[in-house]
Amino acid sequence: MRAAAIYPYGRLFTAGFREQAAYRLAMFGGLVANLTFGFLKVAMLFATVRAAGGTVQGYDVGSMSAYIWVSQGLLGSVNLHGRLDFSDRIKNGDVAIDFLRPVNVQLATIATEVGKAVFALVPRGVPSVAIGALVVGMTMPSSPASYVLGAVSLVVGITISFSTVYLVAVAGFWLIETRGIQILYMVLSGFFAGLFVPIALFPDWLLAIAEATPCPSMMMYPIDILTGRTTGGAAYGLVCVQFAWLAGTLLVGHLLTTAGQRKLEVQGG
């Protein structure tokens, strides 16, 4: 894709970043929520580790703490709630205006939302991890490579979360009301993404189901790389899986958008 073609989406990313920067009080509220539920997870998961004799599925107290606080830090950036403004634009007909604009509707929507999500890392994500490290302590890798690859994995994971939620929103071309799918997505995505417990703690059959979805690529894989649980070739393998899910969800989203555009009917004046 030529630079001139990419430029509008870069501008939309920046616009989303700057738009989210206007909601500073909301970001502070999100940080308080992150910390509150983070300490609750510390109490429950530390008790699990200690009850298992000090380690469970390779997690000790330090690595479990790293999982808890990095996952809490990502909570404001990874879309696990299933809501997207684009679904409302389909429902009220404003999407017809979007199709008249000289940009790809799908990529424009995702670029804007990813911009918002990346900003949330600054006032909400990084402080959550920092405060957790200072108050509770955690084990993190010493190799810079884990953080560099982890940053790539994190951005890809955030993008996958929005490219997947876009599929929920675009279903509105046929269903009109998508709140039921949104709720179902919220329940399943948080569980399979590793928001509540690491998916390594799942029984084998449930782990296989989780890994057959894009959800671990949104949160669990970036956490594993950033915290050093997965390193070397295995870490690069996880990133490749993420890129595969990103390509797949973007392709399905493109096909559904094209089909929905042909079906779209807007009434009124």
Side-chain angles (χ1 to χ4, degrees):
M1 188 180 290
R2 294 178 301 176
I6 297 175
Y7 179 75
Y9 305 104
R11 294 286 293 175
L12 288 168
F13 172 90
T14 303
F17 188 95
R18 296 176 67 178
E19 177 185 341
Q20 196 70 5
Y23 299 99
R24 297 176 183 176
L25 187 59
M27 291 294 103
F28 177 74
L31 173 60
V32 172
N34 282 7
L35 295 174
T36 301
F37 287 101
F39 286 116
L40 288 174
K41 288 171 71 174
V42 163
M44 292 184 292
L45 292 178
F46 278 21
T48 301
V49 171
R50 291 175 179 130
T55 61
V56 55
Q57 291 295 94
Y59 285 94
D60 58 15
V61 168
S63 57
M64 185 63 80
S65 179
Y67 154 76
I68 291 169
W69 293 111
V70 175
S71 65
Q72 288 302 110
L74 297 183
L75 189 55
S77 298
V78 177
N79 190 326
L80 299 177
H81 50 73
R83 295 189 299 275
L84 202 63
D85 291 342
F86 188 66
S87 61
D88 294 329
R89 296 187 67 81
I90 294 175
K91 185 176 181 180
N92 61 30
D94 288 345
V95 69
I97 300 173
D98 297 333
F99 283 129
L100 296 176
R101 296 187 173 115
V103 291
N104 181 289
V105 170
Q106 178 192 19
L107 296 183
T109 300
I110 293 173
T112 304
E113 295 298 329
V114 171
K116 296 178 183 178
V118 170
F119 174 81
L121 290 173
V122 180
R124 185 172 176 181
V126 174
S128 295
V129 177
I131 293 172
L134 290 173
V135 176
V136 181
M138 64 178 69
T139 302
M140 294 293 284
S142 57
S143 170
S146 295
Y147 298 103
V148 174
L149 186 60
V152 174
S153 177
L154 174 58
V155 173
V156 176
I158 291 171
T159 308
I160 292 171
S161 75
F162 286 102
S163 64
T164 305
V165 170
Y166 181 85
L167 303 182
V168 175
V170 83
F173 283 119
W174 292 271
L175 300 178
I176 308 300
E177 182 56 73
T178 59
R179 281 182 294 181
I181 300 179
Q182 290 173 6
I183 293 172
L184 178 63
Y185 175 87
M186 179 175 63
V187 172
L188 295 179
S189 65
F191 184 67
F192 287 140
L195 174 61
F196 308 114
V197 297
I199 64 173
L201 272 59
F202 290 178
D204 291 342
W205 64 270
L206 188 57
L207 178 61
I209 293 174
E211 292 178 337
T213 73
C215 299
S217 291
M218 301 175 191
M219 179 176 279
M220 195 71 249
Y221 295 166
I223 292 172
D224 282 346
I225 296 172
L226 281 168
T227 60
R229 179 176 170 84
T230 303
T231 58
Y236 285 100
L238 291 183
V239 174
C240 289
V241 171
Q242 286 184 286
F243 274 111
W245 277 115
L246 178 59
T249 52
L250 288 175
L251 176 60
V252 174
H254 170 72
L255 296 175
L256 290 176
T257 303
T258 302
Q261 186 175 9
R262 289 198 297 265
K263 184 184 184 300
L264 179 65
E265 296 181 8
V266 178
Q267 299 179 359

